[in-house]
Amino acid sequence: MSMYRSRSWLLVLVIVLAAVTGSWLLKPLFSKPEPLQLSSGQLYPEPKPLAPFALIDQNGQPFTNERLVGKWTFIFFGYTTCPDICPTTLSVFAQFLKQLPAELKADTQVIFATVDPARDTVEQLQRYLPFFHPDLIGLTGLPMATDGFARDLGVAYAVVAQDGGGYLMDHSVRVFLVNPNGERFALFAPAPTGGFVAANLSADYLSIRQH
């Protein structure tokens, strides 16, 4: 074989190796990331902004879409005289907040939004929430405003009359995660046993933040 042909084969080999190496190095740039899998919830197909709303927190301060910006926000709907799932879920989120790493806690907030504004006044929320965790945010407001906020997130609820003139509220049991752009990002459902689990929520949230 002549020296010319040897150099030609060497040149071809170098070109092939360069192409293979380049393809291997560029693959991460063009391949799609693995879809995020959650153990207790699911991501929305596309993040979607929440409709404009105007509520009041437990300190009597206005709470609008602007207070969602820059933070990851968990939202749970319920009412303070709820006998079971509401206090149980608030206890779970109290545990969740205690376990949350400091670097994530700084931009994470948990909201308890009432579906019973007639009884859940600012003063009632202010008395109720500290039993669970001081960082929980309670939201109330005019019935039209609380109803619009709930229905925008797909939460259904109804008054259930009780003997003696009282009533309970039958409502959807879901937890919503809103991203720092104020968009619906993920939806969490209770475990088959009937409630939320702090460890599952924590694991899913860490996966979302690290993805």
Side-chain angles (χ1 to χ4, degrees):
M1 181 181 295
S2 67
M3 184 178 295
Y4 175 78
R5 293 184 63 185
S6 297
R7 289 179 177 175
S8 297
W9 278 107
L10 181 60
L11 180 59
V12 170
L13 181 60
V14 169
I15 292 173
V16 171
L17 288 174
V20 172
T21 302
S23 176
W24 179 76
L25 291 173
L26 290 174
K27 186 177 180 181
L29 298 178
F30 296 101
S31 60
K32 293 183 179 180
E34 289 293 323
L36 183 60
Q37 299 294 326
L38 304 179
S39 64
S40 60
Q42 60 186 28
L43 302 178
Y44 284 100
E46 293 291 338
K48 182 181 178 182
L50 271 66
F53 64 87
L55 298 171
I56 304 170
D57 69 17
Q58 77 270 31
N59 298 312
Q61 299 301 309
F63 197 105
T64 65
N65 303 69
E66 293 181 2
R67 287 181 62 179
L68 300 176
V69 177
K71 291 183 177 291
W72 288 90
T73 306
F74 287 90
I75 303 174
F76 171 69
F77 288 83
Y79 63 112
T80 62
T81 51
C82 173
D84 39 46
I85 189 65
C86 299
T88 300
T89 302
L90 287 172
S91 297
V92 167
F93 271 106
Q95 186 180 356
F96 167 83
L97 288 170
K98 290 175 183 177
Q99 297 173 348
L100 201 61
E103 63 271 18
L104 297 185
K105 191 173 182 180
D107 63 355
T108 302
Q109 57 186 0
V110 177
I111 288 175
F112 176 71
T114 186
V115 295
D116 185 16
R119 293 184 294 192
D120 289 343
T121 61
V122 167
E123 294 76 17
Q124 173 64 7
L125 290 173
Q126 198 170 57
R127 288 191 296 266
Y128 182 74
L129 292 176
F131 284 111
F132 301 95
H133 195 283
D135 293 338
L136 291 170
I137 297 171
L139 295 184
T140 188
L142 295 174
M144 183 178 296
T146 58
D147 181 72
F149 186 54
R151 298 197 184 283
D152 182 46
L153 282 163
V155 174
Y157 61 93
V159 175
V160 180
Q162 300 290 296
D163 294 337
Y167 65 90
L168 298 175
M169 299 296 295
D170 186 15
H171 60 91
S172 304
V173 181
R174 294 289 187 272
V175 168
F176 304 89
L177 179 62
V178 176
N179 68 19
N181 295 322
E183 302 167 324
R184 280 172 276 193
F185 191 82
L187 171 67
F188 299 89
T193 53
F196 294 94
V197 179
N200 294 343
L201 288 169
S202 297
D204 282 344
Y205 186 49
L206 290 176
S207 295
I208 289 171
R209 296 296 300 269
Q210 294 169 359
H211 190 66

